[in-house]
Structure formats: structure tokens, C-alpha cells
Amino acid sequence: MTEDGRIEIMVASSVYNYEDQINEICGILEQMGYHPISSHYKTMPTDPSKSNLENCIIAAQKCDAFFGIIRPFYGSGIIGETSITHEEMKTAISLKKPRWFIAHRDIRVARELFKQYRYLPDKSLNPDFAYKPTKLLDDIRVIDMYNDTILNDIDPAERIGHWTDEYFTIQDIKKVIQTQFHDKNRILDIIKKMNAL
């Protein structure tokens, strides 16, 4: 939490072509009394002795809560096999942070459409499957990001913290923010409960 007691919520999202939306999302959270952490919103402390990836991972580790937006564009900060945004989300999940995710409708649709081609009958990845970027979905790894947030590899009966809302417009995102974050005492209780695990 900040020195003045505000809950710090990290907002993780690909940025390119969504700058206005990120500004609006962070602005709403700020107006609600939270402190949004976002590199684009200029509210993420950075250490010049560390890489961009390291700084973002540290922010994900230190935040009180996490709000991840999965867009149909993977992001430009790809290091190795995954993007920085994807690594931020994986960090929040692995640390069992209080977390909320929202994914664009097209990702769920693409996931279902490509499943028959992307996987073999034994459910392993099909090595012959290749995806070419389109205007609707720039990288197949956005589906991996979605699968990570819904804890796809865990038996459904054992999944906890896998709720991922669906959105199509910025209005949908704003509605989710209002629904989930309007009660700061509720969020504080969730943070305390999850930190005690």
C-alpha cells in the first residue's frame, strides 16, 4: 500500500493501440481511491540497474492486487518465448495475488476454433500447427495467456482464482472495474485473506 493507505493495483495489458483505454482505466481506479501501477500511466517505480522485464516483475510482486487485461494483441515487449505482460500475469498467478482478469471475446472464440488444429488427440501441442498474424489476433500466444489465467492445466474441480471476465468494448471493462473494485473494504479483506494463505 502507498504511504497514504491506498491499495496498489497493477494494471497489466499490452499497450500499443490501447493507450487511451489504459489511461481511462487507470484514471477510473485512481478516482475510486486506488493507486494504479502502470508503466504507460507513469506510475510504476523503476530501477535503472534492472531490465524492463525485471522492473515489471518486481511491480507484479509488490502490488497489493492485480488487474490483467488480455487483448487480441500479445504486446511488443517479447523477451524469449513470452511477452512482458504475459510474464506479469504468470507472476501474479504463481504468487496467488488477489487478481482479476478480463479477456477480449475474440480470444475465447479463437481458442475454440483453433483447438482442433492446435492440439493432437492426446491433447499435446501439434508441432505442425503454424499461425500467421491477422488483424483480429496478432499472436497465438494470447490464447496461452488466456489459458494461464483460467488455470486450464488444473482439474476444474481444483481451480481457485481462475475467473476471467469477457469483454468486447471499453464499456464492458469499465463495468467489470465498477463491479469488482467499488467496495475498497471488500478488496482489502480479500487482500488480507489471500496474504494469510
Side-chain angles (χ1 to χ4, degrees), residues 124-191:
S124 62
L125 282 172
N126 178 0
D128 296 326
F129 176 80
Y131 181 78
K132 293 181 181 177
T134 68
K135 291 180 181 178
L136 294 178
L137 191 81
D138 80 329
D139 195 308
I140 199 71
R141 288 174 290 186
V142 296
I143 295 174
D144 298 333
M145 203 186 303
Y146 178 81
N147 283 338
D148 286 342
T149 64
I150 65 168
L151 305 180
N152 189 61
D153 294 334
I154 296 174
D155 183 270
E158 298 176 12
R159 294 178 194 173
I160 294 174
H162 62 289
W163 186 278
T164 301
D165 272 301
E166 185 176 298
Y167 81 94
F168 189 62
T169 68
I170 183 66
Q171 297 307 319
D172 296 330
I173 298 175
K174 287 158 74 171
K175 194 168 189 177
V176 167
I177 290 170
Q178 183 60 36
T179 299
Q180 299 301 336
F181 299 112
H182 77 280
D183 184 347
K184 287 196 291 299
N185 288 328
R186 172 182 169 268
I187 298 300
L188 195 56
D189 286 344
I190 291 170
I191 291 168

Side-chain angles (χ1 to χ4, degrees), residues 69-133:
I69 305 165
I70 308 171
R71 303 188 186 274
F73 299 96
Y74 194 56
S76 57
I78 298 173
I79 299 171
E81 294 297 316
T82 54
S83 70
I84 291 176
T85 304
H86 195 170
E87 288 299 324
E88 291 168 347
M89 292 182 183
K90 285 166 52 173
T91 298
I93 293 165
S94 69
L95 293 176
K96 294 181 172 48
K97 286 273 180 185
R99 59 194 184 272
W100 290 262
F101 293 104
I102 187 165
H104 194 278
R105 180 196 66 185
D106 290 352
I107 296 169
R108 183 184 57 80
V109 172
R111 178 177 179 262
E112 290 304 312
L113 288 174
F114 288 127
K115 196 179 284 184
Q116 61 186 313
Y117 308 110
R118 201 166 177 223
Y119 297 96
L120 298 172
D122 66 358
K123 297 186 179 179
S124 62
L125 282 172
N126 178 0
D128 296 326
F129 176 80
Y131 181 78
K132 293 181 181 177

Side-chain angles (χ1 to χ4, degrees), residues 4-125:
D4 59 3
R6 286 179 297 157
I7 296 168
E8 294 186 317
I9 299 178
M10 184 166 188
V11 178
S13 166
S14 54
V15 173
Y16 187 63
N17 287 329
Y18 299 106
E19 294 89 345
D20 290 349
Q21 288 188 7
I22 293 170
N23 286 338
E24 190 169 0
I25 289 162
C26 290
I28 290 168
L29 288 167
E30 209 164 39
Q31 289 172 357
M32 293 172 83
Y34 296 97
H35 179 65
I37 303 296
S38 164
S39 57
H40 175 72
Y41 201 62
K42 314 298 184 243
T43 52
M44 191 175 81
T46 58
D47 180 341
S49 72
K50 300 188 182 305
S51 69
N52 289 357
L53 174 61
E54 289 174 303
N55 276 304
C56 290
I57 295 301
I58 289 168
Q61 292 168 340
K62 290 186 174 181
C63 68
D64 301 308
F66 190 93
F67 183 55
I69 305 165
I70 308 171
R71 303 188 186 274
F73 299 96
Y74 194 56
S76 57
I78 298 173
I79 299 171
E81 294 297 316
T82 54
S83 70
I84 291 176
T85 304
H86 195 170
E87 288 299 324
E88 291 168 347
M89 292 182 183
K90 285 166 52 173
T91 298
I93 293 165
S94 69
L95 293 176
K96 294 181 172 48
K97 286 273 180 185
R99 59 194 184 272
W100 290 262
F101 293 104
I102 187 165
H104 194 278
R105 180 196 66 185
D106 290 352
I107 296 169
R108 183 184 57 80
V109 172
R111 178 177 179 262
E112 290 304 312
L113 288 174
F114 288 127
K115 196 179 284 184
Q116 61 186 313
Y117 308 110
R118 201 166 177 223
Y119 297 96
L120 298 172
D122 66 358
K123 297 186 179 179
S124 62
L125 282 172

